[in-house]
Amino acid sequence: MSLRKGLGLNRWRLPQIRWRTIALFLAVLGPGIITANADNDAGGITTYSLAGAQFGYMMLWVLLVITISLIVIQEMSARMGAVTQKGLADLIREEFGVRTTVFVLCALLIADMGNTMAEFAGVAWSCEVFGISKFISVPLAAIFVWWLVLRGNYKTVERVFLVACGIYLTYIVSGILAHPAWFSVIHATLIPSFSFKKDYLIMFIGVVGTTIAPWMQFYIQSAIVEKGIDVETYTYSRLDVIVGCVITDVIAWFIVVACAATIFQHHVTIVTAKDAALALEPLAGKYCEILFAFGLLNASVFTASILPLATSYYVCEAFGFEAGVDRKFGEAPVFYWLYTAMIVIGGGVILLPQSNPLAILFYSQVVNGVLLPFILIYMLKLINNKRLMGKHTNSKTFNLIAWVTTVGMIALTVAAVVVALLQFFHVL
């Protein structure tokens, strides 16, 4: 009998293994949680606020269903990064050619530029709740996100982003302070309710479209590669992806609940997330309003950092330029100049007197919705390519969920275009 066994030390092996598992998970923690939470941006918060304010709890079941699709799609991107050690834009160029890459990147660049403008609009809206002019808040936010990436390194930037993810919990508190009818909330979450009325269909499309965005797939795959996650450590990174997707939709769920329990119940009309925050004070108290507005500010600044970063990543990957937060400006000039330009333009447009943030937000979401099915089809072809992925191709279940999501997004996109045309010709 060995000394270790004789002393009964073997019984401590399991805790040691558990601690090692926790340590490995913490080491790869970041890309999944950051990417998913960044999707709860100013546009997302506005959409979820309107969903709750206009339809009460009716949209809650949609978030439960879409979470499954979000997990599958984000996991595919992360797995491709771990296996190939290449970004999504890089793989699209190699497998589908330069023309396809240019088309995809041009559409993404337009959408991301619009989204970045919308984030700075969110900064302006949230700070106006606290009495701060956009001519102060927007420049300060722009300087902060520029400085954070240009003067930091990957670990520092990731830690700041993870802290920002934690601040999203303010929306959970806002939802609780709104004192919803919890039985009705649970019932609406588990039992689907659908309507073919025009307004419901438009909002349904908006909720689904804002939950899964094209830029997310590019960013998470680039982040996986830059963080150095490979096949051996990917098991823990998959958990990071799942946790991130669940958290982001839980936050969205509470945003809908907060607005449904207050604004919808009192028949108040809102147009933006700022309106939602202001409406919460007389209905649910000052703290609820402050937390909601602070959450919007955090989300807007957070995503105003992520979106230009994602754009810089995939443009540089596609055309072979050096990219990465760990590189200095001189080592990756195109990467940093593109990041800088998007922040300057995004913040600058919002400061113009004639700018229309709501129109910018709406049309950027439309471009996202139209582009997403194309990205999903490219991803499915890549993930099922055995030459690239080896034994790590999709399972039948993953392919089924991914294709159902893709076909569903195409159907929703077509429906959105039809509705828009009918409205344009005054048929609806």
Side-chain angles (χ1 to χ4, degrees):
M1 181 182 295
S2 67
L3 178 62
R4 181 181 177 86
K5 188 173 182 180
L7 293 174
L9 296 179
N10 280 348
R11 61 181 176 170
W12 299 105
R13 184 176 299 169
L14 184 59
Q16 287 175 351
I17 292 173
R18 286 177 178 172
W19 279 114
R20 181 175 180 274
T21 300
I22 293 171
L24 284 170
F25 172 67
L26 292 175
V28 302
L29 179 70
I33 290 176
I34 289 170
T35 305
N37 276 278
D39 193 42
N40 279 341
D41 58 355
I45 292 169
T46 296
T47 301
Y48 299 135
S49 299
L50 291 172
Q54 294 179 16
F55 299 99
Y57 305 128
M58 284 183 68
M59 291 284 179
L60 290 177
W61 70 272
V62 180
L63 293 172
L64 185 62
V65 174
I66 203 65
T67 300
I68 299 171
S69 294
L70 181 61
I71 289 171
V72 168
I73 292 169
Q74 289 281 272
E75 194 278 336
M76 280 169 32
S77 294
R79 182 162 24 113
M80 279 195 289
V83 173
T84 66
Q85 290 298 295
K86 294 179 180 179
L88 182 55
D90 201 358
L91 290 177
I92 290 175
R93 187 196 72 234
E94 290 181 359
E95 297 298 319
F96 302 109
V98 176
R99 288 184 180 179
T100 299
T101 306
V102 170
F103 162 73
V104 170
L105 292 188
C106 285
L108 276 169
L109 192 59
I110 293 170
D112 287 358
M113 192 71 257
N115 286 330
T116 303
M117 294 176 191
E119 303 318 322
F120 284 110
V123 171
W125 290 336
S126 58
C127 287
E128 285 170 359
V129 173
F130 302 109
I132 302 172
S133 168
K134 70 177 182 179
F135 294 103
I136 297 174
S137 61
V138 171
L140 287 177
I143 292 170
F144 172 74
V145 299
W146 180 86
W147 174 84
L148 174 65
V149 171
L150 266 74
R151 296 302 177 191
N153 54 44
Y154 184 83
K155 287 186 178 179
T156 303
V157 172
E158 185 180 66
R159 286 169 185 167
V160 173
F161 285 168
L162 285 171
V163 170
C165 291
I167 298 175
Y168 276 96
L169 297 177
T170 56
Y171 283 114
I172 295 179
V173 180
S174 293
I176 294 172
L177 290 176
H179 303 293
W182 288 111
F183 178 81
S184 298
V185 168
I186 300 303
H187 182 271
T189 303
L190 300 178
I191 309 299
S193 57
F194 197 82
S195 171
F196 287 97
K197 292 182 178 179
K198 176 196 66 176
D199 291 342
Y200 183 91
L201 288 173
I202 293 173
M203 185 58 68
F204 184 91
I205 293 168
V207 169
V208 174
T210 197
T211 306
I212 305 176
W215 69 264
M216 297 169 65
Q217 321 321 319
F218 289 86
Y219 179 79
I220 191 172
Q221 191 161 330
S222 297
I224 288 285
V225 174
E226 182 162 11
K227 195 174 176 70
I229 296 170
D230 55 21
V231 176
E232 293 181 359
T233 54
Y234 180 66
T235 300
Y236 306 98
S237 189
R238 180 185 285 117
L239 181 59
D240 172 46
V241 171
I242 294 171
V243 169
C245 292
V246 171
I247 289 175
T248 192
D249 282 348
V250 167
I251 299 299
W253 188 85
F254 272 100
I255 293 172
V256 175
V257 167
C259 293
T262 52
I263 300 169
F264 175 78
Q265 294 295 333
H266 291 81
H267 309 289
V268 177
T269 301
I270 66 169
V271 178
T272 68
K274 172 191 171 183
D275 298 335
L278 292 171
L280 286 173
E281 180 184 3
L283 303 177
K286 185 68 176 177
Y287 289 118
C288 190
E289 176 204 23
I290 291 173
L291 288 171
F292 199 93
F294 183 67
L296 175 61
L297 174 62
N298 171 72
S300 300
V301 173
F302 176 39
T303 313
S305 305
I306 293 285
L307 267 169
L309 195 58
T311 307
S312 301
Y313 267 125
Y314 58 65
V315 169
C316 290
E317 286 171 2
F319 297 107
F321 296 114
E322 290 294 328
V325 178
D326 277 334
R327 289 175 171 80
K328 296 180 180 179
F329 200 109
E331 296 172 337
V334 175
F335 176 80
Y336 284 113
W337 274 119
L338 183 56
Y339 181 78
T340 302
M342 290 195 68
I343 291 173
V344 171
I345 295 171
V349 169
I350 297 304
L351 295 178
L352 296 175
Q354 65 271 28
S355 67
N356 187 341
L358 279 176
I360 291 170
L361 189 152
F362 173 75
Y363 287 115
S364 64
Q365 296 299 322
V366 169
V367 176
N368 278 338
V370 172
L371 184 61
L372 182 59
F374 292 99
I375 301 301
L376 294 181
I377 290 171
Y378 291 137
M379 285 175 58
L380 280 163
K381 289 184 176 180
L382 291 168
I383 200 75
N384 288 299
N385 187 331
K386 290 188 177 182
R387 177 174 53 80
L388 288 174
M389 299 298 296
K391 64 180 181 180
H392 300 285
T393 55
N394 266 3
S395 65
K396 290 181 179 180
T397 302
F398 260 56
N399 273 330
L400 176 62
I401 295 173
W403 276 113
V404 167
T405 301
T406 302
V407 173
M409 289 304 301
I410 292 172
L412 287 173
T413 300
V414 172
V417 172
V418 170
V419 169
L421 288 173
L422 292 175
Q423 285 182 316
F424 180 80
F425 290 107
H426 306 290
V427 176
L428 289 179

